[in-house]
Amino acid sequence: MALAQTTPLPKVSCANIVKRPVVIVMVGLPARGKTYIARKMTRYFNWIGINTKVFNVGEYRRATTNEYKDHSFFDPSNKEAMNIRRQCALDALEDMAKWFSEQDGEVALFDATNTTRERRKTILEFCCPCDNSAAAHSRQYSVFFIESVCTDKCTVYQNIKDVKVTGPDYDGVDTEVAAQDFVKRISHYQSSYEPLCEEHDRNLSFIKIYDQGEKFLVNKIRGHIQSRAAYYLMNIHTAPRTIYLTRHGESVYNVLGRIGGDADLSIQGEEYAHRLANYIEKENIEDLTVWTSELKRTKQTAEYIKAPIVNWKALNEINAGKCEELTYEEIQEKYPKEFAQRDDDKYRYRYPKGESYADLVSRVEPVIMELEKQENILVIAHQAVARCLLAYFLDKPAEKLPYLKVPLHTVIKLTPYAYGCKVEYIKLEVPAVDTHRSKPKVVQETRSSEDALSTVPKHL
């Protein structure tokens, strides 16, 4: 028996959302978290399927010259250095335009200080030329400014110590010497700093973030991308926290090799629930909250943990539609073409009457937003859902997401930091079956059953 052939999903992109390329321009003095915001937003947009890239002008400057010796390079009276910095900004803009036109770019983050009205005018004129040139026809980008303002000197200095003094400009330089030099660098920018202004810049689209999210000023948000960016910025925070991620304990269906369903834990899965509770207790995690799906196996895994528990429907396992509760062998026997189509493009393939990984990312996006707002959380989820969450925090591309390894009876400890996320895998030493299926070498619909089932893990 064969199912009606499913319509392949289009390229993962938001062409229906991104009507024209969007340039998000960072604004603010050094050490105000601009690069942190730019990288984090790029990771988020790429995760939801919008082709996004950061263009960091500082990287262009370091690739262009080794002239940087100390803070005097950023002195406005240093004309030679000013010319180098201006040219680096223009080079980054040109590369950005080329990326938009040649690589289907959708959103670019222009990461620099951009602290003067003159520099912001240059960017606007580049992005939206007003003449009749070819550039004017090809470059009509939507421009959105994000300004990060921080008035707390302790926070600024801590950012300098945590991030800036370990950067390439200060390789081999004493930490205190580097920090003092960077403070003087900031003073050069302060002398000519012109913040975004409600009156002067009333026709621009922008958001101002004060003191790491204590207050926001939003002006003339236009379009879906700008709205989404503003919403995301209002949900993230920089406070230290840890996210614990684990799959449910081994289920009866895991043992039998069946996908989906709502099975109970196996004997070994029940043992894992006890071990997990002991591990969490020993970690002594302050103000911990546990999130599970609405399926039995995650609730049973959380049963012995002494912490508030929240059940999320959004954390339910990927819906396999007509393939729910089947083994891979049964799917190959009943629906061989569907099985091959999924192996050919596992991220975009949608189960008949079910979901794709692309659908799942959309479903768990509210979970990500809540995770960004929370402190310490333990998420007890399912293999596909855990892959989506991991891909967000570890910045994994769509094609790798469906093959991320999330073994049973393992706690994944995620600790976000300035420009990334530290990940630790803690095995709790309770035996479990292996449910990971790698991509087969042969994915054509005409393949043999042997080729189709070559990577299916062992089961009863």
Side-chain angles (χ1 to χ4, degrees), residues 265-314:
L265 295 182
S266 69
I267 294 174
Q268 293 183 149
E270 182 70 18
E271 173 62 23
Y272 178 69
H274 287 281
R275 292 281 187 96
L276 178 63
N278 291 337
Y279 168 79
I280 293 299
E281 187 175 2
K282 289 178 181 177
E283 283 286 285
N284 193 26
I285 305 163
E286 186 176 351
D287 297 324
L288 178 72
T289 301
V290 180
W291 293 356
T292 76
S293 75
E294 291 188 340
L295 300 177
K296 288 188 296 185
R297 53 196 185 272
T298 61
K299 293 179 180 179
Q300 291 169 357
T301 305
E303 186 175 353
Y304 309 106
I305 299 173
K306 297 173 184 177
I309 297 175
V310 180
N311 307 130
W312 283 74
K313 186 175 181 180

Side-chain angles (χ1 to χ4, degrees), residues 101-168:
S101 63
E102 296 181 5
Q103 298 186 41
D104 296 323
E106 293 173 307
V107 177
L109 277 292
F110 190 74
D111 183 16
T113 52
N114 302 315
T115 47
T116 65
R117 289 170 181 164
E118 179 186 2
R119 173 58 59 84
R120 297 195 290 271
K121 181 182 177 184
T122 298
I123 295 168
L124 284 168
E125 289 175 347
F126 180 91
C127 293
C128 305
C130 297
D131 54 32
N132 292 318
S133 65
H137 293 287
S138 63
R139 291 203 309 256
Q140 288 298 319
Y141 308 147
S142 171
V143 181
F144 180 53
F145 293 92
I146 298 174
E147 182 173 16
S148 180
V149 180
C150 186
T151 56
D152 186 331
K153 292 182 179 180
C154 292
T155 299
V156 173
Y157 195 72
Q158 190 61 50
N159 190 24
I160 293 171
K161 296 291 290 288
D162 289 346
V163 179
K164 299 302 180 182
V165 300
T166 58

Side-chain angles (χ1 to χ4, degrees), residues 36 41 73 189 216 218 293 338-339:
Y36 169 81
M41 186 164 290
F73 185 87
Y189 281 98
F216 298 89
V218 182
S293 75
E338 294 288 340
F339 199 35

Side-chain angles (χ1 to χ4, degrees), residues 250-266:
E250 179 190 77
S251 74
V252 173
Y253 272 11
N254 291 147
V255 176
L256 298 175
R258 299 192 177 279
I259 65 173
D262 193 15
D264 291 307
L265 295 182
S266 69

Side-chain angles (χ1 to χ4, degrees), residues 247 250 253-259 326-331 339 342-343 346 351 383 387 402-408 432-440 449-460:
R247 289 173 65 187
E250 179 190 77
Y253 272 11
N254 291 147
V255 176
L256 298 175
R258 299 192 177 279
I259 65 173
L326 299 180
T327 65
Y328 288 125
E329 290 85 352
E330 289 169 342
I331 296 172
F339 199 35
R342 187 166 196 263
D343 282 341
K346 192 174 179 181
Y351 281 111
Q383 182 166 243
R387 284 169 171 163
Y403 297 102
L404 294 176
K405 290 188 176 182
V406 189
L408 287 166
V433 295
D434 181 7
T435 62
H436 183 82
R437 178 173 177 260
S438 302
K439 184 173 182 175
S449 291
E450 183 180 0
D451 285 332
L453 301 171
S454 61
T455 60
V456 172
K458 295 179 181 179
H459 59 84
L460 291 181

